[in-house]
């Protein structure tokens, strides 16, 4: 049960599957009948688009913002499905929302980042979903907490949901970034490593916060083997009542998905496999050497700590640290490594060596 096994792969969620890209698209919010019908009509002409998404109830940061049209929007969506054949996906944040979504025959529901951040809300929805035959998409929580994301997936899995998928939409940034939400691709990779059978989509719109990054982020996600994309579209993005900056038109979406390359996870080509194997072996050997060097470095750090202790010198020597940063950045950059990467790496090594030195300096001081 823990391994989220037995889930239905995305390709079997839809009656028609051409083996290509799976896209769920539509406006951030359903705003009017005309807007929903116009978007759905245009999207139905894009073969990769399998479902129409629209927010009906919007969890907004500030109460004055547009909070969604409510139940009326579900009627528009129902009509859009009748006219286009697109499946319907809406966000739900409470059992009441779920009840209404089921009443209007919505095919998929998604739980948004804010809802996923609260296990009480997730459990209340999971309880109502027990034995319901509906697809459920689980966005990642607002902050980069993989366990919280997995916990939500497990709650829904335990309710018997078989068409279950994660949606990677990035994480709230605590530092200035170009994107609205930091992708933290490593969290997506770790989720996929732990649950290889869990379908995962990427929502580049909410990562980007800006329409100009959607193409780049979509390709990046596909290169990490996501099973599909959720992309916000609006007939007139500039006039959208929510998330105006990040929405693209259906016509732009058509061009964008046409340009995407869906690369294979692996290739049966023998020559490719051999070259890949050779390169991987080289990397394996280098990694072993790298760890060996790091271990040797840590041993020296321990010796230094003992020496500092004997001579009653503080652990952190600002000048030395500054020196290390400057000289290593210079050498590393000459070797073609990026400054940002070098900075992260050096900080990691430095904080580990401070931790080791603190252990040694405080040994026998009666606390841990
Ligand atoms: C959305 O998809 O419109 C939405 C609000 O998403 P998130 O929960 O990822 O912010
Ligand atoms: Mn949105």
């Amino acid at each position: 049960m823990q391994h989220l096994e037995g889930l239905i792969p995305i390709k079997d969620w839809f009656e028609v599957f051409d083996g290509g890209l799976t896209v769920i698209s539509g406006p951030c919010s359903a705003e009017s009948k005309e807007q929903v019908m116009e978007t759905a009509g245009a999207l139905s002409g894009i073969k990769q688009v399998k479902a129409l998404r629209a927010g009906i109830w919007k969890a907004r940061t500030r109460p004055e913002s547009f909070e969604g049209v409510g139940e009326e929007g579900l009627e528009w969506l129902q009509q859009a499905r009748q006219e286009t054949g697109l499946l319907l996906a809406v966000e739900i944040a409470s059992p009441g929302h779920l009840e209404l979504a089921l009443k209007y025959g919505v095919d998929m529901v998604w739980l948004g980042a804010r809802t996923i951040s609260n296990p009480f809300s997730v459990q209340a929805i999971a309880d109502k979903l027990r034995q319901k035959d509906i697809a459920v998409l689980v966005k990642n929580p607002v902050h980069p907490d993989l366990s919280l994301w997995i916990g939500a997936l497990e709650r829904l899995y335990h309710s018997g949901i078989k068409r279950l998928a994660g949606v990677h939409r990035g994480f709230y940034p605590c530092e200035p970034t170009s994107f609205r939400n930091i992708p933290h691709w490593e969290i997506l990779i770790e989720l996929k490593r732990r649950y290889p059978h869990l379908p995962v989509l990427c929502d580049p719109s909410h990562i980007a916060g800006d329409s100009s990054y959607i193409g780049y982020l979509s390709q990046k996600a596909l290169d990490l083997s996501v099973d599909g994309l959720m992309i916000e579209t609006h007939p007139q993005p500039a006039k959208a009542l929510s998330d105006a900056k990040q929405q693209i038109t259906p016509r732009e979406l058509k061009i964008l998905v046409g340009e995407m390359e869906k690369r294979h996870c692996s290739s049966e080509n023998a020559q490719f496999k051999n070259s890949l194997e050779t390169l991987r072996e080289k990397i394996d050997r280098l990694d072993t050497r790298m760890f060996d060097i790091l271990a040797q470095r840590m041993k020296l750090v321990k010796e230094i700590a003992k020496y500092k202790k004997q001579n009653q010198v503080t652990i952190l020597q600002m000048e030395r640290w500054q020196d290390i940063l400057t000289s290593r950045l210079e050498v590393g950059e000459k070797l073609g490594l990026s400054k940002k990467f070098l900075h992260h790496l050096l900080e990691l090594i430095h904080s580990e060596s401070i931790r080791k030195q603190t252990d040694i300096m405080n040994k026998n001081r009666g606390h841990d």
Side-chain angles (χ1 to χ4, degrees), residues 27-29 53 58 139 180 205-206 232 242-243 246-247:
C28 177
S29 308
R53 63 145 280 156
K58 302 302 295 180
K139 294 240 187 163
R180 174 178 175 188
S205 306
H206 287 88
E232 286 187 342
S242 59
D243 290 351
Q246 72 194 30
Q247 303 202 57

Side-chain angles (χ1 to χ4, degrees), residues 282-294:
K282 282 188 186 164
I283 285 187
D284 292 350
R285 279 202 298 275
L286 283 176
D287 280 353
T288 313
R289 265 175 60 197
M290 190 166 69
F291 285 146
D292 193 43
I293 291 173
L294 278 174

